[in-house]
Amino acid sequence: MTELPQSPRLSPGHLEDLLTDAHGRHRDMSDQARMRSLLQAVLTIGGDLDLATVLRRLTEMAAQLVGARYAGLGVIDGDGGFSEFIPVGIGREQAERISRFPHGKGVLGAPLHDRSPLRLADLRDHPDFGGFPDGHPPMSSFLGVPIQVRDEIFGNLYLTEKADGGEFDEDDESVVLALATAAGVAIENARLYEEARLRERWLAASTEITTRLLSGAATGEVLTYMAAQAREIGGADTAVILLPDPRARDHLFAEIADGPIAQEILGTPVEIHGTGCGRVYESGEPMSIPDLRLVDCPMLTQRGYGPGLLVPLGTPGNTRGVLLLGKLSERAPFPSTVRRMLHSFSVQAGIALELAEARQDTERLVVLEERDRIAKDLHDVVIQRLFASAMTLMSTMRLISSQEAGERVQRTIDELDATIREIRSTIFALQNPPSRQDTSLRGRILKLAENTAYSLGCHPGVSLDGPIDASVPDEVGEQLLAVLGESLSNVARHARATEVHVSVTVEETATTGRPTTLTLTVTDNGVGLPEEGRRSGLRNMDERARALGGGFSARRGETGGTVLTWKVPVPDDGTPPFDTFH
């Protein structure tokens, strides 16, 4: 038999050298694998320009590289807290059980303040540890690394709970720090891209608002579009535009709203003094609100809203309203970029509103000038010619021997006189702009007659003659409206008429042109006045006339029906006679 060679016997020192060499080769292989993983992570993170995707990938890759069960990335806002927190390793159901996510305070703020990594065997031993919120999983081992973009701290990257139950070591810290450093470039690129895209959207919305306003679109329609765009681009859950009301100068009102609760909050008043909305309205400076429950904003705080952003519409000293954006309480506050861009957007929108109002004022002035020109032509040309024709016909009457021809000429004269009265009424209407017609006495008479059409069963005819708006005092006008309303109500209840006519006339003296008498006449073709019955309504009209120094009469019409005549003097206030052009 051939003897096999015997293996050399290893001394203890030789065995130790072999083990050290084997361990070194294994460590080199492990480090190389980790470096390849680190390089792959950097390439993966930098392969996208969407900031949310970059941040999510960075957090996931960091957890994989060091074997952490949980990871999180907090984005720093302008106030030093977290504007956003991205958790990894926590499922949706578990996340819903957590009452709140970190805000960048306590132990989580240490890497930000020190600008250096923080590694702990148990984060609960740190003096700034403030406890876990309800529903939060237990954690012990901790590694926190700041993410720096150029000279600015962008956020903090956190890793907890080593998968093998151990602690994070120096190698883990070096790998995560290298990953965070390399990710800074990708974050900067993604952030610049997102800001450019966001700025483009704000500019497009601002251009659209300006175009709509200057092309004649209604202000309410444009503000509705503005609220919708601000909510969508700003990432808010609800947008509200609060505007002042001339009738309540100490309040702002929610005139426009966009979002799921828009219809519930429309018309909500907010006091100007002592509220955040009021301070922004008076100062013209925007305001970020971490929690709307800390300010007086009942329309949102009572409905589960937290982060808010208040932006003035317009420039300081010329604020036209306030734009309020709100997020639900579990969402992160608005970042500073959104605040800056939204402020610029609102300033441009406010300027566009001002330009649109100036353009509307110019167009309104052109219309008023045209109305004035038409009224002047009617007064100086048309009425004078009709009056001359009527005078000629009246002088011709004595030359006519035929009775039938005389009657025809007289009817023509009467028609000319009625036409002159109608034209004068048109002139007075032209002198009042449409915005004043609803508040003028003429407008109120017409509106009152129109509102009674349903109860009357017919549309009453209305004739208005003379300087009603210019010469009738307010107190006399109120009495006139009360008598007219009661008269039409009586006709609707008792007359069973199919035709109703209302005539309001202000008579003027022929010599001075001053108004002397206001006469209201209401005629109908109904059943007429009963010989017996309650006359309390007629008595009230008579008392109103007597209180003003006038009189009242009610009689049957020549062909049936009823004729009510209410006549009162028009006080002379000492002003020159009313004449539009002379």
Side-chain angles (χ1 to χ4, degrees):
M1 291 181 63
T2 305
E3 293 184 3
L4 294 175
Q6 295 183 0
S7 299
R9 304 183 72 177
L10 298 177
S11 64
H14 191 199
L15 179 59
E16 183 178 352
D17 293 338
L18 289 176
L19 290 174
T20 302
D21 183 58
H23 178 71
R25 287 196 300 270
H26 176 75
R27 181 166 182 174
D28 290 341
M29 293 174 60
S30 177
D31 289 345
Q32 291 177 9
R34 176 172 278 193
M35 290 302 296
R36 285 195 296 270
S37 298
L38 177 59
L39 179 59
Q40 182 62 38
V42 172
L43 293 175
T44 302
I45 293 171
D48 203 297
L49 285 176
D50 180 68
L51 183 59
T53 303
V54 169
L55 298 179
R56 170 66 63 175
R57 287 180 179 177
L58 170 60
T59 311
E60 293 173 345
M61 290 297 175
Q64 293 177 14
L65 284 174
V66 299
R69 292 181 57 190
Y70 303 110
L73 191 152
V75 180
I76 306 299
D77 63 11
D79 299 325
F82 288 163
S83 64
E84 184 178 1
F85 188 83
I86 302 171
V88 169
I90 298 177
R92 174 177 293 183
E93 294 182 1
Q94 191 175 18
E96 292 177 351
R97 292 195 297 269
I98 299 176
S99 60
R100 62 175 177 83
F101 277 103
H103 295 295
K105 308 300 181 182
V107 65
L108 297 187
L112 168 65
H113 301 309
D114 300 337
R115 289 189 173 231
S116 62
L118 176 64
R119 186 158 41 91
L120 301 170
D122 193 332
L123 62 86
R124 291 169 292 186
D125 296 335
H126 194 278
D128 293 333
F129 178 72
F132 295 115
D134 295 338
H136 197 284
M139 297 177 181
S140 57
S141 56
F142 175 84
L143 175 60
V145 175
I147 302 172
Q148 187 165 318
V149 178
R150 296 186 180 180
D151 295 331
E152 173 191 358
I153 295 295
F154 176 80
N156 287 336
L157 180 60
Y158 306 105
L159 301 120
T160 61
E161 289 299 289
K162 193 85 161 162
D164 57 8
E167 301 177 12
F168 295 102
D169 55 24
E170 292 182 3
D171 291 341
D172 295 329
E173 181 181 318
S174 299
V175 169
V176 175
L177 189 59
L179 178 63
T181 303
V185 177
I187 291 174
E188 175 71 3
N189 292 337
R191 188 167 65 172
L192 291 175
Y193 175 76
E194 181 174 291
E195 288 183 5
R197 186 175 58 178
L198 194 62
R199 187 177 294 107
E200 182 180 356
R201 294 185 65 187
W202 284 120
L203 288 175
S206 179
T207 301
E208 177 66 19
I209 288 174
T210 302
T211 302
R212 290 191 181 194
L213 284 172
L214 297 183
S215 62
T219 303
E221 174 189 338
V222 177
L223 289 178
T224 301
Y225 171 81
M226 178 182 177
Q229 290 298 301
R231 184 177 78 89
E232 179 183 351
I233 303 175
D237 294 300
T238 294
V240 186
I241 294 180
L242 299 108
L243 301 175
D245 190 331
R247 295 167 296 180
R249 297 184 178 181
D250 56 344
H251 282 79
L252 297 171
F253 293 85
E255 298 291 346
I256 308 290
D258 186 79
I261 61 171
Q263 296 302 318
E264 302 176 26
I265 60 181
L266 284 176
T268 303
V270 177
E271 291 187 8
I272 293 179
H273 302 294
T275 63
C277 295
R279 286 194 296 272
V280 171
Y281 177 72
E282 292 179 331
S283 67
E285 296 295 335
M287 176 189 299
S288 294
I289 303 174
D291 194 338
L292 285 167
R293 290 169 292 186
L294 303 177
V295 298
D296 189 6
C297 186
M299 73 181 76
L300 296 184
T301 54
Q302 305 300 325
R303 293 179 169 87
Y305 281 74
L309 184 59
L310 293 168
V311 181
L313 293 180
T315 56
N318 192 24
T319 305
R320 298 179 174 272
V322 175
L323 172 61
L324 166 62
L325 297 184
K327 291 184 179 181
L328 294 173
S329 56
E330 66 271 11
R331 297 188 59 194
F334 292 92
S336 57
T337 53
V338 171
R339 173 179 171 176
R340 291 195 305 268
M341 293 182 186
L342 182 60
H343 187 206
S344 176
F345 170 73
S346 65
V347 168
Q348 294 181 21
I351 294 174
L353 284 171
E354 187 174 350
L355 291 175
E357 290 180 4
R359 179 187 57 79
Q360 292 173 358
D361 289 341
T362 301
E363 292 178 352
R364 191 178 299 112
L365 180 61
V366 172
V367 172
L368 292 177
E369 290 177 348
E370 181 65 12
R371 291 164 64 95
D372 189 65
R373 184 192 63 79
I374 294 173
K376 183 177 177 62
D377 290 345
L378 288 174
H379 182 277
D380 291 350
V381 179
V382 178
I383 285 184
Q384 301 303 327
R385 290 181 178 177
L386 290 175
F387 185 75
S389 299
M391 293 295 293
T392 302
L393 290 176
M394 289 180 65
S395 62
T396 308
M397 283 286 294
R398 60 178 178 270
L399 303 177
I400 300 175
S401 57
S402 171
Q403 181 179 357
E404 181 179 357
E407 291 177 353
R408 289 185 178 182
V409 172
Q410 185 60 50
R411 284 197 299 269
T412 302
I413 294 173
D414 294 339
E415 290 177 358
L416 285 174
D417 183 62
T419 302
I420 291 173
R421 289 177 175 271
E422 291 178 359
I423 293 176
R424 290 188 65 194
S425 180
T426 301
I427 291 173
F428 292 127
L430 285 171
Q431 291 165 354
N432 287 322
S435 59
R436 291 179 50 197
Q437 290 182 4
D438 291 339
T439 58
S440 66
L441 183 56
R442 284 174 171 269
R444 296 172 69 184
I445 292 171
L446 293 172
K447 188 174 183 179
L448 177 59
E450 181 181 352
N451 290 341
T452 58
Y454 179 79
S455 59
L456 289 171
C458 62
H459 285 278
V462 180
S463 173
L464 305 175
D465 185 31
I468 297 174
D469 290 331
S471 61
V472 179
D474 292 340
E475 59 273 13
V476 177
E478 294 297 331
Q479 296 295 325
L480 170 71
L481 292 171
V483 171
L484 175 60
E486 193 165 359
S487 301
L488 294 176
S489 177
N490 287 340
V491 173
R493 290 198 305 266
H494 308 298
R496 299 197 295 274
T498 58
E499 292 183 10
V500 182
H501 185 77
V502 175
S503 172
V504 179
T505 304
V506 173
E507 299 178 4
E508 301 171 285
T509 58
T511 56
T512 65
R514 292 186 179 277
T516 58
T517 308
L518 170 65
T519 304
L520 166 65
T521 306
V522 179
T523 62
D524 66 73
N525 65 346
V527 297
L529 288 172
E531 295 183 0
E532 297 180 357
R534 297 179 58 186
R535 299 288 181 103
S536 58
L538 301 180
R539 190 181 309 112
N540 290 337
M541 300 180 200
D542 182 62
E543 290 176 356
R544 291 178 184 273
R546 291 181 181 276
L548 296 173
F552 170 78
S553 65
R555 59 180 178 83
R556 295 182 66 89
E558 295 180 359
T559 59
T562 305
V563 179
L564 303 179
T565 304
W566 189 82
K567 182 180 294 187
V568 296
V570 176
D572 188 354
D573 59 2
T575 57
F578 179 81
D579 194 311
T580 309
F581 307 109
H582 301 292

